[in-house]
Amino acid sequence: MTLHATIDKVTDRIRERSLNARGAYLQKIARAALEGPARAHLSCGNQAHAYAAMPDKEDFATTRKPNIGIVTAYNDMLSAHQPYERFPDIIRRAGHAAGATVQVAGGVPAMCDGVTQGRAGMELSLFSRDVIALAAGVALSHDCFDAALYLGVCDKIVPGLIIAAATFGHVPAVFVPAGPMPSGLPNDEKAKVRQQFATGEVGREALMAAEMASYHGAGTCTFYGTANTNQMLMEFMGLHLPGSSFVNPNTPLREALTVAAVERAAAITNLGNAYLPAGEVLDERAFVNGIVGLMATGGSTNLVLHLPAMARAAGVILDIQDFNDLSDVVPLLARVYPNGLADVNHFHAAGGLGFTIGQLLEGGLLHPDVKTINGTGLDGYVAEPKLDGSRIRWEDGARESLNDKIVRPITDPFAKTGGLKQLQGNLGRGVIKTSAVAPERHVIEAKARVFEDQESVKQAFRNNEFTQDTVVVVRFQGPRANGMPELHSLTPVLAVLQDRGLKVALVTDGRMSGASGKVPSAIHVSPEAATGGPLARLRDGDLVRLDAVTGTIDCLAADFETRTPASFDPAASSEGVGRELFAAFRAVAGPATEGAGVVV
């Protein structure tokens, strides 16, 4: 199938924009690759320190066996990362069987946005991405590894690990997923109980019972939030093995896929003939494929923030106009909560990523000729893994949807576009996700209520202050202000107002969770208010128009441009739960339009 003209055009635009940065990046990783396996340059003392605790230290010191480093986000307070506790032993055994040595190079932090949602700790969330990149960089700085296995799943973890993998772009990288937890209480029922709690219809006991029934075991949360969007992305970008993203933890198939990932890592090092540096996988075509996957599946808006930062680490410069233009031509092929009733397990059973990739390839909407860890182009990712004894055998995946209420062919999509729109106007530049928003709510024009924290919005709700159509503005939530927290805890409140018949919208320089959906939300608005951005000039009662059809967002007050902006008081976000440690990050964070990065 001929590549779609817009895919081609956007890719060329990114390539041209990135020419100098990408060229310098490729030269850097080529120089590193020419030096050969790094362990060859270690002194005897260096090597002795590196292999002192290894049971097979002689192999490390005297043979050309590849040494594989594990960078792990394991902890046992996150359901998504708890399965990784067992992975190092599985990987060591598989590595030895494949003729390699294996070491845990280091760990990276993995915080849970579900635990910190609406709490002060959420203000560390975005910057944890940069900390993860730094921690992975420290792990790999020992220069002992011929390939790296990255064990990470959730919101900032995968983007942080990608930044590290790109920075060490001469080292082959394989990302190893852990899978989603089995289905529990349906996500729409959980959301209903949350709204009932917000209105006082049910008490905390009922709320706790619903939450515990939803989040009930090891693995990622089953809705299509940022964690599962990350997993989709790794498959579309060729860094997972085909079909591995949504296989449940602690199953024979999951373990066999992990073994296969180790074997693949051992096969693509600089010691053999199939050398595949991570930096060559992470080119502009891979990032375009990732954005296409984001649009086709209705993924998390957090990736609109993370992908530009990830790409910059590989010398690829993305702009939100790229997301907008790709969204215009990529149809929505999946309905997974919050964009539908199904969860990721249902999506996987209905044909999942293999079917979706196959459909997009047929439509000319993906670059097929990319480099992937599978050793094929992207056409290898329409296959489905099956157990053959204890080994993996890839078979042809589903050619037809097994449930057209969850996933559809490209000839009969749920929507003709990907449901993400760039917004521009006198309030700045941001994005809105419309795939779960009813069409009649794509344009909201109403008076603004301006708040400077989430709790004030909730208090106004409790005081019954929202009695008319309202644009709720929550400013001073950007990276320079307080680290750009998610504002997902406002979703039940705004959803209740919407269900009462009011037209409501959210406008913010902060983020919304990947689990947010049906309330129109203009997010990542940049320049942010803390740097004097336009949101700082808004006042209560200003008429604001959010138009997701034309892609505009404006304050209609005649004197808006001449007003003095409100000033930001950093005191509320400067201390407590570690926020003191991140003052330096807040001071230098980039704009949301460039990924709000610190290290890139």
Side-chain angles (χ1 to χ4, degrees):
M1 177 65 69
T2 303
L3 192 66
H4 190 287
T6 298
I7 306 298
D8 199 19
K9 177 183 175 182
V10 171
T11 306
D12 280 345
R13 185 171 70 203
I14 295 169
R15 188 179 290 117
E16 183 176 351
R17 187 192 302 137
S18 308
L19 190 62
N20 292 335
R22 180 68 178 172
Y25 172 80
L26 290 174
Q27 288 178 16
K28 180 189 77 169
I29 67 170
R31 287 194 300 270
L34 280 173
E35 294 179 5
R39 287 183 291 119
H41 305 293
L42 298 181
S43 73
C44 293
N46 294 149
Q47 289 197 37
H49 280 288
Y51 65 58
M54 293 179 71
D56 45 7
K57 55 176 66 72
E58 288 78 10
D59 286 346
F60 182 95
T62 62
T63 73
R64 283 177 55 84
K65 286 185 177 182
N67 188 44
I68 299 172
I70 302 170
V71 179
T72 178
Y74 163 72
N75 65 48
D76 64 6
M77 73 157 289
L78 269 69
S79 62
H81 292 89
Q82 186 275 336
Y84 285 137
E85 182 176 18
R86 297 177 55 243
F87 276 42
D89 285 340
I90 296 171
I91 291 168
R92 288 188 192 98
R93 290 195 301 270
H96 294 166
T101 55
V102 179
Q103 293 177 297
V104 175
V108 301
M111 66 176 290
C112 181
D113 290 2
V115 176
T116 58
Q117 200 67 247
R119 310 287 299 173
M122 174 56 79
E123 296 179 12
L124 277 61
S125 171
L126 177 60
F127 291 146
S128 74
R129 180 190 69 194
D130 296 78
V131 174
I132 289 159
L134 291 167
V138 171
L140 295 173
S141 68
H142 297 99
D143 219 11
C144 290
F145 305 107
D146 302 295
L149 293 173
Y150 293 91
L151 314 186
V153 175
C154 286
D155 297 23
K156 270 68 54 193
I157 294 89
V158 167
L161 292 174
I162 285 286
I163 291 170
T167 303
F168 287 79
H170 62 290
V171 178
V174 176
F175 279 65
V176 186
M181 68 177 70
S183 302
L185 181 74
N187 287 292
D188 59 320
E189 292 185 28
K190 171 195 68 183
K192 181 180 179 181
V193 175
R194 286 179 174 177
Q195 288 185 217
Q196 290 173 328
F197 179 75
T199 60
E201 296 175 59
V202 301
R204 187 167 295 277
E205 185 175 334
L207 178 65
M208 179 58 79
E211 299 288 355
M212 294 289 282
S214 297
Y215 308 116
H216 62 93
T220 59
C221 311
T222 59
F223 59 82
Y224 197 47
T226 309
N228 288 318
T229 301
N230 283 339
Q231 303 312 292
M232 172 281 300
L233 199 69
M234 293 301 92
E235 201 151 327
F236 268 78
M237 292 178 68
L239 289 163
H240 277 177
L241 289 176
S244 63
S245 296
F246 299 132
V247 174
N248 299 125
N250 303 317
T251 60
L253 181 57
R254 174 84 278 154
E255 183 165 329
L257 283 163
T258 301
V259 170
V262 179
E263 293 170 346
R264 195 63 201 147
I268 59 176
T269 74
N270 204 4
L271 295 169
N273 297 320
Y275 178 45
L276 183 61
E280 292 187 7
V281 176
L282 292 167
D283 68 3
E284 64 281 347
R285 297 169 302 166
F287 284 102
V288 167
N289 283 350
I291 297 172
V292 169
L294 181 69
M295 302 310 165
T297 60
S300 167
T301 53
N302 275 324
L303 271 301
V304 181
L305 192 70
H306 294 317
L307 273 163
M310 294 155 64
R312 279 176 179 268
V316 176
I317 311 301
L318 301 179
D319 187 86
I320 57 175
Q321 185 69 48
D322 303 326
F323 292 81
N324 182 86
D325 293 354
L326 292 171
S327 180
D328 281 347
V329 300
V330 176
L332 182 68
L333 302 184
R335 285 279 192 201
V336 188
Y337 188 87
N339 304 324
L341 297 181
D343 67 23
V344 294
N345 293 310
H346 304 138
F347 169 69
H348 186 63
L353 295 179
F355 174 75
T356 306
I357 289 171
Q359 290 296 302
L360 293 167
L361 284 169
E362 286 185 21
L365 292 168
L366 289 170
H367 289 280
D369 55 338
V370 289
K371 293 184 178 181
T372 74
I373 63 155
N374 194 43
T376 66
L378 204 61
D379 53 355
Y381 282 73
V382 302
E384 183 177 2
K386 298 286 187 179
L387 273 178
D388 185 359
S390 62
R391 306 284 300 172
I392 291 291
R393 181 184 72 254
W394 272 273
E395 300 179 349
D396 289 342
R399 297 295 183 181
E400 297 180 358
S401 171
L402 302 180
N403 187 330
D404 65 6
K405 294 180 180 178
I406 300 172
V407 61
R408 287 187 179 176
I410 200 166
T411 54
D412 182 29
F414 290 103
K416 293 182 179 179
T417 70
L420 188 120
K421 195 82 174 178
Q422 178 181 219
L423 298 173
Q424 295 187 85
N426 67 8
L427 286 177
R429 194 172 179 221
V431 295
I432 183 170
K433 178 182 175 181
T434 60
S435 53
V437 177
E440 63 269 21
R441 300 185 184 279
H442 286 188
V443 179
I444 304 288
E445 185 175 306
K447 290 181 178 180
R449 280 290 307 274
V450 182
F451 301 89
E452 297 185 357
D453 59 72
Q454 297 179 73
E455 186 53 38
S456 297
V457 181
K458 297 175 188 177
Q459 188 59 53
F461 174 79
R462 290 190 288 266
N463 294 343
N464 296 313
E465 296 177 20
F466 297 108
T467 58
Q468 59 184 353
D469 296 349
T470 306
V471 174
V472 175
V473 178
V474 189
R475 66 188 180 193
F476 300 126
Q477 304 298 304
R480 289 284 188 100
N482 62 353
M484 205 178 185
E486 286 183 351
L487 307 180
H488 178 51
S489 68
L490 295 180
T491 298
V493 167
L494 299 176
V496 167
L497 296 176
Q498 187 170 272
D499 289 349
R500 288 175 179 173
L502 298 181
K503 286 191 173 183
V504 293
L506 175 71
V507 175
T508 181
D509 47 10
R511 297 183 291 133
M512 284 298 279
S513 166
S516 304
K518 69 178 184 177
V519 177
S521 302
I523 59 175
H524 308 176
V525 176
S526 183
E528 63 174 287
T531 62
L535 293 187
R537 299 200 298 272
L538 273 177
R539 298 172 185 167
D540 283 346
D542 283 343
L543 193 63
V544 171
R545 181 177 177 84
L546 186 165
D547 190 332
V549 179
T550 62
T552 56
I553 181 167
D554 293 288
C555 174
L556 304 182
D559 65 337
F560 180 70
E561 299 290 350
T562 61
R563 293 177 185 171
T564 301
S567 58
F568 171 62
D569 180 4
S573 299
S574 63
E575 61 184 35
V577 296
R579 287 180 290 183
E580 302 91 333
L581 301 172
F582 286 81
F585 281 50
R586 292 190 293 271
V588 300
T593 49
E594 297 177 8
V598 173
V599 300
V600 289

